[in-house]
Amino acid sequence: MSTETKPEAELKKRVEGVAETLRNQFTFLRRDRLAFAGVVIVAAFVFLGLLGPALAPHDPIEHTVRDDTGSMLRLSEPTGAAPFGTTAYGKDVLSQFLAGAQPTFIVGLFGGIGTGALGFLVGLVSGYYGGWVDEVLMRLTDLTFSLPFTPMALLLLTFVTPSVWLMTGIIVAFLWKMPARVVRSEVLSVRERTFVKSARASGASDLRTMLYHVAPNVLPIGFLYTAYGIAWAIAAQASLAFLGFGDPTVTSWGRMLRQVFESGNMRVAWWWVLPPALGIAAITTSVFLIGRAYEEVINPEIQTEQ
Amino acid sequence: MSEFQRFLAKRLAISILLTLVAVSVIFVVLRLLPGSPFESLVTAGNLSQQQITEIRAMYGLDQPMWRQYLSYLQSILLFQFGYSILRSQPVWGVLAPRLVNTLILLVPALVTTAVLSSLLGMYVGWNRGSKLEKLSIIATTFLRSTPVFITGILFVIIFAYNLELVPAFGMRSISASPEGYVETFASLDFLHHYILPFTVSVLYYSGDFLLLARNGVVEKRGSEFLKLHRAKGLSEMQQLARAGRNSMLPILTYFALRLGMIFQGLILLEVVFGWPGIGRELVLAIQQQDYPLVQAAVFIMALAVIVANLVADVLYAYFDPTVSTSGGGAA
């Protein structure tokens, strides 16, 4: 009854509520086999992203694979010495694949989280406060929508030496608009609900109402778009690297594909193409499969049907 | 209707403002960042100091920044893109054929995929839980989330290199040298080169249309108006047609948006297939630091997006009675 315990109890209830939602979502994931397969692939990718470079048998750039006579093995098919074959420059494809997972992972993770977080905040503030705040922020998103991503990113990367973190920054700067718009429209509908109005009426400040009453209700869609953001970031990074605008000092999957494409060996060296190509395809597809499964849960209009 | 006109005027004003800002951003990025195509010429020692000054004056690079900006603004908004530095011919002369090449690849692809995938999406949405639904969702999820150059590479390896059904690169055979658009595009050789990039773009864009149509129909399935139609004794297909028609709006607006992103979206596709379109030209121009060409290409891409956004918004406001602020008009 005392006023001191009340916030704590409130907080506990809220934490339990969140835990409950999480549990439900995990149960759901187990039921949807596609999404579950996606989770397994994502887990494998995270593992590669963290430990890939350590697992690589050779240095992806320095080491040159040689045969018994000591001459460089160029474009060798998969053999015992190089299980995934070698590149046109005599490098071990397996090592490049393992090491290349890391930059892909870093840009994907931080690009996705940055996109989700920035977009969520903008959408939340914009939708909650409305008025001129909303107008300014939405025109800003319109602006980023009208600046075409790939050409602008290429322009910037021409003049600035690309690094993994710069790529992450550019990707976030262009992608936050997606979650921002969706979160905003969610906030607009949540804002009108009775419990939000009653919170305001009982004297809660704007900030408190926004963070404690509105934000939790749009959090699922924020998470969903963070997941999508990760897939977009991975795709964007791979695309830029493929066009030759990636970090030149780092082996990434996109860069591997660029090298095989540039060197004109796509016709023969399938072992060089497939690992990075399938790696990128698998991870982006998995993220979207998981996201789609969530979307079915979050979108009540689809959910009510069976 | 005056409400709608006011909305239109506001939306139009915003689009114009956005165009100005986008154009200015392009200017800032291009002029304020280091590096100039003349530097490479100068360091190569091919030009005398006088020649350099002359060329700089010719391109207006000796003017103060604000004056450059104004003349840039004036010319770009009038579609006067100037001369390509490296190709020494008018930018528009370089870009126009590329633009046509891009459009001829992508507009038919987009229309095809919008029609086919939406129909398929409505069908699988109606037959919820079927094998076909699962399969089409996996397939389109894969196709739309995988970067398009990877799908392109895989298709090239399978259909061009291994099955040797179609050529892997370019828009026509090296020996072919057609004159004029008709001769270029109305030939078997062109068609032969066309199939693979066309198929890949159809597949790449299929996912969003399919999911939009499916979700639309799934949402409508339980709704009251369909119960009425069922009670009236309409067949399954007739009911689906009505549910489908009512899910057309998001598909329509999405189509408009996609049309705007068409140039930038498939830069990668054009690079993989060696398709001489505007996206590939932009990548080449950036590599050669050909400013006028770069700014024109980026401007066209940005303008396409702005116009498409405008069209999509207006379409939505015009067709969806629930968006209109005039109130009263029930559906």
Side-chain angles (χ1 to χ4, degrees), chain B residues 122 217 220 239-249 251:
Chain B
M122 288 175 193
V217 168
K220 298 284 178 309
Q239 288 176 42
L240 170 55
R242 279 158 183 79
R245 198 174 56 198
N246 277 314
S247 349
M248 280 306 288
L249 190 57
I251 299 174

Side-chain angles (χ1 to χ4, degrees), chain A residues 145-146 158-159 288 296 305, chain B residues 34 128 145 214 286 305-306:
Chain A
F145 262 106
S146 60
T158 331
F159 296 105
F288 271 96
E296 303 265 299
E305 274 290 293
Chain B
R128 190 127 193 255
S145 50
R214 168 190 170 271
I286 287 181
V305 177
I306 293 173

Side-chain angles (χ1 to χ4, degrees), chain A residues 32 34 135 139 142-143 145-152 154-156 158-160 181 228 231 234-236 238-240 242-245 254 257-258 261 266-268 270 273-274 276-278 280-282 284-286 288-289 292 295-296 299 301-303 305-306, chain B residues 10-11 14 18 21-22 25-26 29-30 33-35 128 134 137-138 141-142 144-147 149-150 153-154 156-157 160-162 164 169 211 214-215 218-219 221-222 261 264-265 267-268 271-273 282-283 286-287 289 291 294 298 301-303 305-306 309:
Chain A
D32 190 320
L34 277 180
E135 192 70 16
R139 293 298 81 81
D142 280 351
L143 180 66
F145 262 106
S146 60
L147 289 176
F149 168 70
T150 324
M152 291 313 287
L154 293 186
L155 265 188
L156 291 171
T158 331
F159 296 105
V160 193
R181 276 201 173 169
Y228 287 161
I234 291 173
S239 305
L240 292 175
F242 176 73
L243 290 174
F245 294 85
L257 287 169
R258 158 142 191 106
F261 183 75
M266 274 201 335
R267 184 181 281 273
V268 281
W270 54 267
V273 178
L274 289 186
L278 295 183
I280 295 170
T284 48
T285 308
S286 303
F288 271 96
L289 280 177
R292 191 198 52 79
E295 217 162 344
E296 303 265 299
N299 187 341
E301 296 197 63
I302 299 185
Q303 194 187 5
E305 274 290 293
Q306 290 122 38
Chain B
K10 186 188 170 201
R11 199 60 194 73
I14 290 172
L18 282 180
V21 179
V25 170
I26 297 171
V29 170
L30 279 177
L33 292 170
R128 190 127 193 255
K134 271 244 146 69
I137 284 182
I138 302 177
T141 304
F142 170 79
R144 84 169 176 155
S145 50
T146 306
F149 72 93
I150 290 182
I153 286 178
L154 294 178
V156 165
I157 290 182
Y161 291 156
N162 283 312
E164 301 194 342
F169 196 82
L211 279 181
R214 168 190 170 271
N215 290 354
V218 167
E219 279 174 24
R221 239 196 116 169
M261 293 192 220
Q264 47 159 323
I267 291 177
L268 289 154
V271 170
V272 169
F273 288 105
L282 173 67
V283 173
I286 287 181
Q287 282 164 356
Q289 304 204 342
Y291 288 156
V294 171
V298 177
M301 292 176 183
L303 193 65
V305 177
I306 293 173
N309 274 327

Side-chain angles (χ1 to χ4, degrees), chain A residues 19-298:
Chain A
E20 171 77 22
T21 342
L22 279 181
R23 254 201 309 280
N24 285 346
Q25 283 171 353
F26 276 117
T27 329
F28 169 78
L29 270 186
R30 270 211 305 276
R31 268 215 326 266
D32 190 320
R33 263 188 303 168
L34 277 180
F36 188 70
V39 171
V40 171
I41 292 178
V42 170
F45 176 66
V46 171
F47 177 76
L48 277 187
L50 292 174
L51 296 175
L55 291 173
H58 308 293
D59 185 284
I61 298 175
E62 300 287 314
H63 179 84
T64 305
V65 182
R66 295 177 188 284
D67 61 11
D68 299 335
T69 60
S71 59
M72 190 193 288
L73 266 182
R74 286 176 189 276
L75 284 181
S76 148
E77 285 198 35
T79 57
F84 279 22
T86 63
T87 73
Y89 316 104
K91 311 298 176 195
D92 181 27
V93 174
L94 176 64
S95 305
Q96 289 206 342
F97 175 71
L98 290 172
Q102 186 149 55
T104 315
F105 172 70
I106 291 177
V107 175
L109 186 69
F110 290 99
I113 291 178
T115 303
L118 187 59
F120 185 80
L121 277 181
V122 170
L124 186 64
V125 170
S126 181
Y128 183 79
Y129 284 101
W132 65 269
V133 179
D134 185 38
E135 192 70 16
V136 168
L137 287 175
M138 280 304 109
R139 293 298 81 81
L140 202 63
T141 54
D142 280 351
L143 180 66
T144 52
F145 262 106
S146 60
L147 289 176
F149 168 70
T150 324
M152 291 313 287
L154 293 186
L155 265 188
L156 291 171
L157 290 171
T158 331
F159 296 105
V160 193
T161 329
S163 75
V164 168
W165 296 108
L166 185 72
M167 302 263 281
T168 312
I170 291 180
I171 286 170
V172 171
F174 275 96
L175 291 184
W176 61 270
K177 62 199 175 186
M178 312 287 240
R181 276 201 173 169
V182 180
V183 168
R184 172 178 171 272
S185 68
E186 284 288 304
V187 169
L188 284 183
S189 75
V190 170
R191 195 179 60 168
E192 298 307 321
R193 294 226 217 120
T194 331
F195 69 92
V196 176
K197 291 199 164 150
S198 65
R200 288 290 293 135
S202 61
S205 68
D206 268 332
L207 197 65
R208 189 185 161 82
T209 317
M210 187 173 80
L211 292 181
Y212 283 91
H213 299 279
V214 178
N217 287 289
V218 289
L219 212 50
I221 207 129
F223 278 131
L224 178 69
Y225 272 81
T226 306
Y228 287 161
I230 291 175
W232 288 327
I234 291 173
Q237 188 244 14
S239 305
L240 292 175
F242 176 73
L243 290 174
F245 294 85
D247 187 338
T249 60
V250 174
T251 305
S252 71
W253 288 350
R255 196 170 153 70
M256 287 175 76
L257 287 169
R258 158 142 191 106
Q259 286 180 334
V260 64
F261 183 75
E262 278 290 280
S263 65
N265 288 306
M266 274 201 335
R267 184 181 281 273
V268 281
W270 54 267
W271 58 87
W272 188 3
V273 178
L274 289 186
L278 295 183
I280 295 170
I283 182 68
T284 48
T285 308
S286 303
V287 172
F288 271 96
L289 280 177
I290 300 171
R292 191 198 52 79
Y294 266 120
E295 217 162 344
E296 303 265 299
V297 181
I298 292 172

Side-chain angles (χ1 to χ4, degrees), chain B:
Chain B
M1 208 52 202
S2 71
E3 193 74 23
F4 180 70
Q5 280 165 350
R6 258 182 41 211
F7 166 81
L8 201 65
K10 186 188 170 201
R11 199 60 194 73
L12 208 61
I14 290 172
S15 298
I16 293 171
L17 206 66
L18 282 180
T19 313
L20 281 178
V21 179
V23 162
S24 310
V25 170
I26 297 171
F27 180 83
V28 169
V29 170
L30 279 177
R31 298 301 153 89
L32 295 193
L33 292 170
S36 122
F38 297 109
E39 270 168 28
S40 50
L41 289 177
V42 173
T43 45
N46 291 335
L47 294 176
S48 70
Q49 191 55 48
Q50 201 205 336
Q51 281 171 312
I52 294 171
T53 335
E54 271 170 21
I55 293 183
R56 283 180 63 88
M58 195 171 101
Y59 285 102
L61 291 174
D62 53 349
Q63 308 265 342
M65 202 49 100
W66 63 270
R67 199 179 281 256
Q68 282 189 41
Y69 176 69
L70 283 187
S71 64
Y72 156 87
L73 213 58
Q74 189 196 3
S75 51
I76 204 164
L77 293 177
L78 294 171
F79 284 72
Q80 303 290 321
F81 297 129
Y83 277 78
S84 157
I85 293 177
L86 286 165
R87 289 171 192 260
S88 9
Q89 54 170 311
V91 166
W92 200 225
V94 179
L95 280 186
R98 305 286 192 280
L99 199 57
V100 172
N101 291 343
T102 299
L103 289 176
I104 209 143
L105 171 61
L106 294 175
V107 173
L110 203 59
V111 173
T112 310
T113 198
V115 173
L116 291 184
S117 332
S118 305
L119 286 178
L120 182 63
M122 288 175 193
Y123 182 76
V124 300
W126 192 257
N127 298 293
R128 190 127 193 255
S130 64
K131 266 227 164 62
L132 185 66
E133 191 205 16
K134 271 244 146 69
L135 197 71
S136 68
I137 284 182
I138 302 177
T140 52
T141 304
F142 170 79
L143 288 167
R144 84 169 176 155
S145 50
T146 306
V148 68
F149 72 93
I150 290 182
T151 323
I153 286 178
L154 294 178
F155 269 66
V156 165
I157 290 182
I158 296 170
F159 293 102
Y161 291 156
N162 283 312
L163 301 177
E164 301 194 342
L165 290 174
V166 285
F169 196 82
M171 200 173 81
R172 53 176 167 253
S173 307
I174 301 165
S175 55
S177 54
E179 297 276 331
Y181 288 133
V182 177
E183 208 177 305
T184 310
F185 298 126
S187 74
L188 273 180
D189 180 47
F190 173 76
L191 192 67
H192 200 204
H193 286 80
Y194 187 69
I195 293 172
L196 203 54
F198 175 78
T199 312
V200 171
S201 17
V202 165
L203 292 175
Y204 179 63
Y205 285 129
S206 64
D208 293 315
F209 288 108
L210 186 125
L211 279 181
L212 271 177
R214 168 190 170 271
N215 290 354
V217 168
V218 167
E219 279 174 24
K220 298 284 178 309
R221 239 196 116 169
S223 62
E224 301 291 326
F225 79 93
L226 274 186
K227 284 194 187 128
L228 174 69
H229 284 311
R230 204 168 308 139
K232 261 163 58 180
L234 294 188
S235 74
E236 284 272 306
M237 268 344 242
Q238 284 169 321
Q239 288 176 42
L240 170 55
R242 279 158 183 79
R245 198 174 56 198
N246 277 314
S247 349
M248 280 306 288
L249 190 57
I251 299 174
L252 198 66
T253 45
Y254 186 75
F255 181 79
L257 284 182
R258 263 297 160 211
L259 206 58
M261 293 192 220
I262 210 166
F263 305 117
Q264 47 159 323
L266 292 181
I267 291 177
L268 289 154
L269 192 84
E270 290 180 1
V271 170
V272 169
F273 288 105
W275 192 266
I278 190 173
R280 187 160 173 270
E281 191 61 31
L282 173 67
V283 173
L284 293 177
I286 287 181
Q287 282 164 356
Q288 298 161 340
Q289 304 204 342
D290 192 341
Y291 288 156
L293 204 54
V294 171
Q295 75 189 16
V298 177
F299 171 69
I300 290 174
M301 292 176 183
L303 193 65
V305 177
I306 293 173
V307 171
N309 274 327
L310 176 68
V311 171
D313 275 9
V314 171
L315 275 183
Y316 215 102
Y318 188 73
F319 283 113
D320 189 350
T322 57
V323 168
S324 110
T325 40
S326 55

